[in-house]
Amino acid sequence: MTPPGVTVRDATAADLPAIVGVYNQSIPGGWSTADTSPVAVADRVEWFHKFDRARRPIWVAEVGGEVIAWVGLTSFYAGRPAYDATAEISLYVGTAYHGRGLGRYLKERMIAACPGLGVTTLLSMHFDHNAATKHLNDKLGFMPLGHLTEIAVVNGVKRGLVIAALRIPPAS
Ligand SMILES: CC(C)(COP(=O)(O)OP(=O)(O)OC[C@H]1O[C@@H](n2cnc3c(N)ncnc32)[C@H](O)[C@@H]1OP(=O)(O)O)[C@@H](O)C(=O)NCCC(=O)NCCS
């Protein structure tokens, strides 16, 4: 069930500043993304236009007309055809709304949509010190398939990247 007061819908180009705003909130924590300084809306325009409702959607969650979170699917490995049924999930919840079940709700909702989107392998890539994502993925049945140790430097500290996957039965 959608959390009370929350609306989830496909994002439009008009949402891009808010999407970037939510994303930028995650950067100072140093455990969510490999960006180390705020990104500009203009830098995300091309990225945004690669989403498509039929195969690689991006949804926003709103409260009172304010975008507070987003979840999207991107193609794996530059979208080469052999990976058509594989997508990477990205999920960002505004810091003021962490820990209220919204991240879990959005991830479960996107997983439920995957068969209709032609996605049978859902990848989640996260730093190995991203405890929230690790916990959420474990609960939802993602399996860690890879661990690239000491592959990033965040705030001067070497960090590893976990590649976790959820296998999803295709639509019958
Ligand atoms: C990861 C993230 C999406 C989780 O969203 P959220 O709405 O705060 O999470 P939820 O409230 O739905 O919690 C989901 C589960 O994770 C647990 N959890 C939440 N934050 C946690 C933390 N910091 N450490 C450990 N577990 C945590 C919750 O207790 C809950 O577990 P439960 O169901 O067993 O009680 C959110 O922290 C976020 O946006 N982080 C920044 C962006 C990011 O890291 N995205 C992933 C990289 S793509």
Side-chain angles (χ1 to χ4, degrees):
M1 207 172 76
T2 315
V6 176
T7 305
V8 178
R9 60 170 174 78
D10 285 298
T12 69
D15 296 314
L16 187 55
I19 289 167
V20 170
V22 168
Y23 178 81
N24 281 339
Q25 289 177 30
S26 74
I27 295 173
W31 48 272
S32 302
T33 169
D35 278 307
T36 52
S37 56
V39 302
V41 173
D43 294 335
R44 283 302 179 113
V45 172
E46 192 181 333
W47 166 84
F48 181 81
H49 286 292
K50 286 188 182 151
F51 289 100
D52 99 78
R53 189 178 293 205
R55 295 184 63 249
R56 302 291 187 256
I58 179 166
W59 302 336
V60 290
E62 294 181 312
V63 167
E66 180 200 355
V67 171
I68 58 162
W70 60 268
V71 58
L73 297 187
T74 48
S75 292
F76 179 64
Y77 223 140
R80 292 182 203 177
Y83 296 113
D84 268 358
T86 298
E88 180 185 350
I89 188 165
S90 297
L91 169 64
Y92 287 81
V93 174
T95 49
Y97 293 88
H98 282 186
R100 300 188 193 185
L102 185 57
R104 180 176 183 147
Y105 170 75
L106 290 173
K107 206 160 204 173
E108 286 181 330
R109 184 162 162 163
M110 190 59 91
I111 291 167
C114 278
L117 300 166
V119 173
T120 55
T121 297
L122 187 62
L123 297 178
S124 173
M125 303 200 196
H126 62 86
F127 283 139
D128 51 15
H129 63 301
N130 187 336
T133 299
K134 182 185 182 315
H135 181 92
L136 185 51
N137 284 349
D138 288 349
K139 281 207 105 170
L140 296 178
F142 282 77
M143 299 295 295
L145 296 186
H147 186 191
L148 309 181
T149 57
E150 298 191 351
I151 196 174
V153 178
V154 185
N155 298 333
V157 180
K158 286 182 184 168
R159 299 295 191 181
L161 179 77
V162 171
I163 304 170
L166 181 71
R167 307 294 186 185
I168 300 167
S172 48

